[in-house]
Amino acid sequence: MTAITDPPRADFRLGMLWTDTRYRSLTIQVIALILVLLGASYLVSNVLANLAALGKDFSFGILTGPASYDINQRLIDYTSRSSHTTAAVVGMLNTLLVAVMGCLLATVIGVVAGVLRLSNNWLISKLMTVYIETVRNIPVLIQILLLAAVFDEFLPSPRQAGADAHMLGIVATNRGFYIPGPVFGAGSVFVVAALILGIVGSVWYARHAKRVQQETGRLLPIWRVRLGLIVGLPFVVWAAIALVAGAPITLAYPELQGFNFDGGIYMRNSLVALWLALSIYTGAFIAENVRAGILSVSKGQTEAAYALGLRANRTMSLVILPQALRVIIPPLISQYLNLTKNSSLAIAVGYMDATGTLGGITLNQTGREFETLLLLMAFYLSISLTISMIMNLYNEQVKLVERTSASGTAFSFGKLFDSMTGPWDTLKKGDAAHQPNFGVASWLNLVVLLYAGMLAAELAFLFLADVPELRRAYFDWTLVQQLTFLLLVTLTLSTLLTAVFKHFRVIDLAVGTLAMWIVALLAGNPLGLMIPSLPSILVVVGCAAAQLGAIAYLVFGARPNVTYFCRVRRDG
């Protein structure tokens, strides 16, 4: 009997890059990439040459000068003597404030309207239809201007509204909205810690209740227990401290002082008008996405649930919505992106967002239209890509679970250690869901906290640490330092998100973050000053050691079935 063996592989030759089909596509892609980079470098050099011919240089140094203008709504300390960089950060934070509040409210409005439009109640269904078809066919700018005009013309003045201030605690005037604000005193840290502990306990209990329901069919009370943990536990701690040493957290109510109110939280009419208009407008589109997702689920699913004795609310939450999410999430991403970009219309009502500060007053004062618009585009691009990344990772979580191959997921850093840890396979979602203890996060939560803290420190160091005695302003750094620090922030954010959603690529991004941390140090970035209260050497060494510990856990840890990050030892 003749044994059949594979023919020996030919030695690699340079000509095989073009003649061999195994390498030809890669060769073409490399050549195309080189041509694109050459074209981009030509365009950049041409722009710089044209600016030089006009007597202008390309520099961001002018942004370190004093802004010399006020901003009426801000989340951080700012005065007219602050730098243009600080003014830009205030505008960016104002944009993020509107985007976050708008996405949350638009989601609530859209889900409620989408579900109610499918109601059997004729009146409710038609009212939702009128809302959706009316709102989404009127330009959002007109709705923003209309709401701003209503607030300015029909709301009372502060002195007229003063009589009702103490009755409701919320005051609406033609100068803005005032709501009670928290005042943190001695012992408030324990209340905040109790709140965090309650949230963590609530998440754990929800997972426990779901596991019990899947294994035994027994339904545990969920919302009452979760509400007790999130609200009841902090209240008990607050009441205990209040009995001993006085209330640790109190509310400051707005009070009429002269011609205006003082105290509490102040929101300008422009902010509220922009927020409500964007939320109502985007909510109409989200409602249609929700309706389409629900209608995509076969009616037989509902009938089967009713036949099993499930009530309407549990049928919606346990049967219909989980299947509808795979249809709802992709267009929902586009709606969040549209809302974020539409927030640039804030300049129409005088709300100082990124477009009004960096792309408006700063541009006019400095005359650096190319630099300011480039930064503005980079800001909106980074925000849009971040939203898209977060929602796409979440979309991976809600996709239909099917049995899939366990052949692994191409190259990953963790595979380099197979000789030490043994051969492992990274399961895809379908196969991972059929493993015991599926979904146990274990110590991965510490990895999430590590990179969340690193990201917060990096962002504060990049934008909010306006202390020139500690470090030079970011725009005074060398180009290499600026690029390496931005790459470090980007990799840290990517590692955090992939760890939050338990994606298997977290190991590769963690290694990339550590490598960029070292590159940034070699480039001269003062990373040791990110935490001014600690010695620089401790910050640098401690952060590097913590990252090494996280990487070691991701490579060598047992990690029992962590959703997408599920590994099983290969048979044989």
Side-chain angles (χ1 to χ4, degrees):
M1 182 179 235
T2 304
I4 300 176
T5 59
D6 294 333
R9 289 190 174 185
D11 294 335
F12 176 79
R13 299 186 306 274
L14 190 61
M16 295 172 65
L17 291 176
W18 186 256
T19 59
D20 196 321
T21 56
R22 293 176 298 174
Y23 308 111
R24 184 184 301 160
S25 61
L26 180 61
T27 304
I28 295 174
Q29 293 179 53
V30 171
I31 294 174
L33 178 61
I34 293 175
L35 292 177
V36 170
L37 293 177
L38 289 175
S41 62
Y42 169 75
L43 291 176
V44 172
S45 61
N46 189 42
V47 169
L48 295 178
N50 290 335
L51 289 175
L54 295 174
K56 294 184 178 181
D57 61 335
F58 183 78
S59 173
F60 294 102
I62 192 67
L63 296 179
T64 60
S68 301
Y69 63 90
D70 292 323
I71 299 178
N72 47 32
Q73 184 84 48
R74 52 186 180 268
L75 297 177
I76 61 174
D77 291 334
Y78 171 84
T79 65
S80 60
R81 301 306 302 167
S82 299
S83 64
H84 284 292
T85 302
T86 306
V89 173
V90 172
M92 293 176 183
L93 291 177
N94 286 345
T95 297
L96 293 176
L97 176 65
V98 172
V100 172
M101 294 195 309
C103 289
L104 292 176
L105 183 57
T107 303
V108 174
I109 294 175
V111 171
V112 172
V115 173
L116 291 182
R117 189 173 182 184
L118 296 173
S119 173
N120 294 327
N121 187 303
W122 182 88
L123 179 60
I124 294 179
S125 176
K126 295 305 177 184
L127 284 176
M128 292 299 102
T129 302
V130 170
Y131 154 68
I132 292 171
E133 297 300 332
T134 301
V135 169
R136 70 176 185 162
N137 287 293
I138 298 177
V140 64
L141 178 59
I142 296 177
Q143 299 183 43
I144 295 173
L145 295 174
L146 177 62
L147 279 177
V150 168
F151 292 156
D152 291 338
E153 299 296 332
F154 293 97
L155 290 180
S157 65
R159 295 186 67 86
Q160 293 173 335
D164 299 328
H166 297 286
M167 295 173 56
L168 302 176
I170 301 175
V171 184
T173 72
N174 56 10
R175 294 186 183 179
F177 290 74
Y178 301 83
I179 62 176
V183 178
F184 297 92
S188 59
V189 63
F190 297 103
V191 180
V192 175
L195 175 62
I196 297 175
L197 184 61
I199 295 174
V200 173
S202 171
V203 174
W204 175 86
Y205 180 79
R207 293 181 177 179
H208 171 71
K210 182 178 180 181
R211 184 166 59 251
V212 170
Q213 189 269 333
Q214 291 177 343
E215 293 177 354
T216 66
R218 184 163 57 94
L219 295 178
L220 298 178
I222 296 179
W223 289 110
R224 286 176 294 174
V225 176
R226 298 189 70 179
L227 186 64
L229 288 171
I230 297 176
V231 178
L233 181 61
F235 177 77
V236 170
V237 175
W238 178 88
I241 298 176
L243 290 175
V244 176
I249 300 178
T250 57
L251 290 178
Y253 291 90
E255 296 181 357
L256 185 62
Q257 302 287 342
F259 296 99
N260 210 340
F261 282 90
D262 188 25
I265 299 176
Y266 171 59
M267 296 188 296
R268 294 182 60 85
N269 286 339
S270 55
L271 168 60
V272 180
L274 180 68
W275 171 38
L276 292 180
L278 290 177
S279 301
I280 294 172
Y281 178 76
T282 308
F285 289 91
I286 295 178
E288 286 297 273
N289 297 337
V290 172
R291 185 171 73 97
I294 293 175
L295 291 177
S296 68
V297 180
S298 172
K299 190 176 181 180
Q301 298 280 332
T302 304
E303 295 173 347
Y306 288 162
L308 291 174
L310 292 179
R311 292 175 301 213
N313 59 339
R314 297 197 67 85
T315 300
M316 177 63 69
S317 61
L318 297 178
V319 178
I320 298 177
L321 280 183
Q323 298 182 73
L325 282 176
R326 62 186 177 90
V327 178
I328 296 173
I329 296 300
L332 183 64
I333 299 174
S334 298
Q335 299 306 325
Y336 286 167
L337 296 178
N338 289 336
L339 187 148
T340 303
K341 290 179 286 188
N342 285 338
S343 66
S344 60
L345 298 172
I347 195 172
V349 289
Y351 179 67
M352 298 297 288
D353 66 337
T355 304
T357 55
L358 184 59
I361 300 177
T362 296
L363 185 152
N364 294 326
Q365 286 189 357
T366 61
R368 299 282 183 172
E369 67 282 353
F370 191 79
E371 291 89 337
T372 53
L373 292 179
L374 187 64
L375 287 174
L376 190 61
M377 289 190 298
F379 167 71
Y380 279 109
L381 178 63
S382 61
I383 294 302
S384 298
L385 291 178
T386 301
I387 294 174
S388 180
M389 180 179 180
I390 294 173
M391 294 302 297
N392 279 318
L393 287 173
Y394 178 69
N395 187 43
E396 291 291 329
Q397 300 276 339
V398 300
K399 282 170 40 174
L400 286 178
V401 177
E402 299 177 354
R403 298 291 300 203
T404 53
S405 172
S407 59
T409 49
F411 175 79
S412 178
F413 181 82
K415 290 190 175 182
L416 296 178
F417 294 87
D418 277 358
S419 60
M420 302 172 61
T421 63
W424 293 76
D425 279 326
T426 301
L427 295 184
K428 296 181 182 178
K429 188 175 183 181
D431 286 320
H434 292 85
Q435 297 294 318
N437 299 321
F438 170 70
V440 178
S442 67
W443 293 99
L444 190 65
N445 292 322
L446 293 182
V447 178
V448 173
L449 293 177
L450 168 64
Y451 286 100
M454 284 183 55
L455 180 65
E458 289 167 4
L459 291 177
F461 185 68
L462 181 62
F463 292 120
L464 304 182
D466 195 6
V467 280
E469 64 274 8
L470 290 180
R471 65 169 178 86
R472 292 179 297 132
Y474 172 77
F475 293 108
D476 289 338
W477 297 1
T478 64
L479 180 60
V480 175
Q481 291 176 334
Q482 293 175 351
L483 291 177
T484 53
F485 196 84
L486 284 180
L487 287 174
L488 177 62
V489 174
T490 303
L491 283 172
T492 305
L493 174 62
S494 301
T495 307
L496 171 63
L497 293 177
T498 49
V500 167
F501 290 98
K502 306 176 185 65
H503 197 276
F504 67 91
R505 286 299 179 190
V506 65
I507 177 62
D508 303 311
L509 291 170
V511 173
T513 303
L514 178 60
M516 187 52 61
W517 178 272
I518 297 173
V519 171
L521 287 173
L522 295 177
N525 291 73
L527 300 181
L529 300 178
M530 287 198 307
I531 307 179
S533 58
L534 297 178
S536 298
I537 186 64
L538 181 61
V539 175
V540 172
V541 175
C543 190
Q547 292 184 72
L548 280 174
I551 293 172
Y553 164 70
L554 295 175
V555 172
F556 299 105
R559 299 193 309 279
N561 302 316
V562 185
T563 313
Y564 263 84
F565 207 59
C566 177
R567 297 202 317 169
V568 293
R569 192 175 297 277
R570 189 179 304 162
D571 294 337

